[in-house]
């Protein structure tokens, strides 16, 4: 089996273990319900266009992730001539998103098998609090040695949060043993 040659498996969370697409739509529907706006697919597509455009700006280093998460709702609700506090709306949205407990079929069974033979890790570029809540709500923490959250990058190092310790209990990725060995790990996305 191809996995036999690897000691460590790093899993992305969104759209690998958890169905982020489903969670995102449900969170967006709840947010619109809060605002007394009836959901339809066209509205979600408009939101997605705004959101993706802002994330591309972030990837180019033009804006921060905090600006993305706030500005996307300011721009979206401006389509309805509404002024909103983007950070407040994002906090509500993120709360709904954190409720997203949509595991893909067969994930628990797969993790139960892999934990016997491998060291398992999560490597996510998501927002830390949301990802930790989703892991906890789906009872996934017990499978992973460490959780890598790109948002926790400081001083050029990616910081690792232990699943059994709340933030900010973390160590730099560079200090973890063995992850730099050639062919020692596989990223599962």
């Amino acid at each position: 089996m191809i996995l036999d040659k690897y000691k460590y498996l790093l899993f992305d969370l969104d759209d690998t273990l958890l169905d982020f697409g489903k969670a995102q739509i449900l969170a967006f529907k709840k947010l619109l319900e809060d605002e007394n706006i009836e959901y339809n697919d066209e509205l979600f597509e408009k939101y997605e266009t705004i959101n993706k455009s802002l994330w591309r700006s972030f990837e180019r280093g033009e804006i921060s992730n905090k600006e993305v998460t706030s500005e996307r709702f300011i721009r979206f609700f401006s389509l309805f001539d509404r002024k909103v506090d983007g950070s407040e709306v994002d906090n509500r949205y993120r709360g709904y998103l954190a409720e997203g407990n949509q595991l893909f079929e067969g994930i628990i069974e797969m993790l139960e098998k892999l934990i016997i033979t491998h060291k398992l890790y999560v490597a996510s570029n998501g927002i830390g609090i949301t990802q930790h809540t989703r892991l906890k709500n789906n009872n996934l923490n017990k499978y992973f040695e460490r959780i890598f959250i790109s948002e926790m990058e400081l001083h050029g190092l990616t910081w690792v949060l232990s699943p059994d310790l709340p933030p900010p209990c973390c160590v730099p990725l560079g200090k973890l043993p063995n992850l730099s060995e050639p062919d020692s790990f596989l990223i599962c996305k």
Side-chain angles (χ1 to χ4, degrees):
M1 176 183 227
I2 191 166
L3 293 180
D4 291 343
K5 79 178 209 175
Y6 300 103
K7 296 177 190 176
Y8 311 99
L9 302 178
L10 283 75
F11 288 88
D12 189 7
L13 194 55
D14 293 328
D15 293 327
T16 301
L17 301 178
L18 297 171
D19 189 338
F20 180 74
K22 251 187 210 174
Q24 186 179 23
I25 289 172
L26 290 173
F28 189 72
K29 283 180 179 180
K30 287 180 180 182
L31 187 64
L32 290 186
E33 190 176 295
D34 288 351
E35 300 295 325
N36 295 313
I37 298 172
E38 189 173 332
Y39 172 87
N40 64 56
D41 292 339
E42 185 180 325
L43 288 179
F44 184 73
E45 288 170 18
K46 287 179 181 180
Y47 164 76
E48 273 288 271
T49 299
I50 293 166
N51 189 42
K52 287 178 180 178
S53 171
L54 289 166
W55 280 112
R56 282 191 298 274
S57 294
F58 168 76
E59 290 164 1
R60 290 189 301 268
E62 298 167 357
I63 59 176
S64 71
N65 66 345
K66 283 195 180 287
E67 289 171 296
V68 171
T69 57
S70 176
E71 185 64 27
R72 62 186 174 183
F73 292 112
I74 292 170
R75 290 185 189 183
F76 176 77
F77 284 106
S78 75
L79 299 173
F80 298 92
D81 293 323
R82 294 187 186 189
K83 289 188 186 280
V84 298
D85 177 335
S87 295
E88 184 277 326
V89 174
D90 183 65
N91 285 335
R92 281 190 286 136
Y93 173 74
R94 198 149 300 291
Y96 294 140
L97 192 59
E99 295 170 3
N101 300 322
Q102 294 79 20
L103 278 171
F104 283 114
E105 189 175 328
I107 293 298
I108 297 298
E109 295 82 359
M110 177 191 70
L111 293 173
E112 290 284 346
K113 289 178 184 175
L114 290 174
I115 198 170
I116 296 168
T117 56
H118 295 80
K119 299 283 186 186
L120 307 179
Y121 299 83
V122 167
S124 173
N125 67 348
I127 304 296
I129 188 72
T130 304
Q131 301 301 53
H132 283 286
T133 303
R134 294 171 75 215
L135 284 163
K136 181 181 176 198
N137 288 350
N138 284 286
N139 199 26
L140 294 178
N141 285 333
K142 64 185 177 185
Y143 297 106
F144 300 103
E145 298 284 323
R146 296 280 190 270
I147 298 168
F148 303 94
I149 304 287
S150 62
E151 178 186 55
M152 301 303 295
E153 189 169 307
L154 298 170
H155 307 295
L157 297 170
T158 298
W159 293 77
V160 182
L161 291 108
S162 173
D164 55 337
L165 298 173
C169 299
C170 51
V171 296
L173 172 58
K175 300 228 185 238
L176 286 177
N178 302 321
L179 284 183
S180 60
E181 292 176 18
D183 296 328
S184 66
F185 66 94
L186 175 67
I187 298 173
C188 306
K189 180 160 173 57

